[in-house]
């Protein structure tokens, strides 16, 4: 809900299709289902999504938008699976909760409604 409340003019119906990939190294990775959507997000939505991610997570994190075929870059420049919140490997429930909260939710991971 954060974006819907604070930047309703930016929100598109296809935002619901954005897939949280994970959080690692202070970066929340979100995957768009087309390169056109990824490009729109990068051009028009970086600041509002970053603000939403920081507000919802209460952490200093940055959002990275990926297209359907973009590889996930692991911290240190390697390619691999993204980490979950807390630095573990794989995409954990907390990573998904943060991603969904930024896009449509408004609750932090572990809070009511997650």
């Amino acid at each position: 809900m954060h974006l819907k409340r604070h930047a309703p003019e930016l929100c598109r119906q296809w935002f619901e299709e954005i897939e949280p990939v994970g959080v690692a190294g202070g970066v929340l990775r979100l995957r768009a289902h087309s390169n056109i959507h990824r490009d729109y997000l990068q051009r028009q939505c970086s600041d509002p999504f970053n603000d939403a991610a920081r507000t919802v997570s209460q952490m200093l994190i940055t959002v990275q938008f990926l297209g359907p075929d973009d590889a996930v870059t692991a911290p240190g420049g390697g390619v691999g699976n993204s980490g979950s919140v807390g630095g573990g490997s794989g995409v954990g429930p907390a990573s998904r909760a943060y991603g969904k909260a930024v896009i449509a939710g408004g609750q932090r991971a572990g809070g009511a409604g997650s």
Side-chain angles (χ1 to χ4, degrees), residues 50-69:
N50 282 322
D51 177 58
R54 291 175 186 137
T55 300
V56 170
S57 69
Q58 296 185 347
M59 298 183 333
L60 184 59
I61 60 174
T62 302
V63 175
Q64 178 185 27
F65 300 109
L66 305 170
D69 301 322

Side-chain angles (χ1 to χ4, degrees), residues 12-69:
R12 304 290 182 259
Q13 185 171 353
W14 54 264
F15 279 17
E16 296 174 13
E17 300 172 3
I18 297 171
E19 176 185 341
V21 176
V23 179
V27 179
L28 168 63
R29 290 170 181 84
L30 301 174
R31 186 175 305 279
H33 288 274
S34 77
N35 290 330
I36 291 170
H37 289 165
R38 179 208 52 214
D39 295 345
Y40 172 81
L41 291 165
Q42 289 173 342
R43 278 192 325 270
Q44 302 294 324
C45 303
S46 289
D47 288 340
F49 268 77
N50 282 322
D51 177 58
R54 291 175 186 137
T55 300
V56 170
S57 69
Q58 296 185 347
M59 298 183 333
L60 184 59
I61 60 174
T62 302
V63 175
Q64 178 185 27
F65 300 109
L66 305 170
D69 301 322

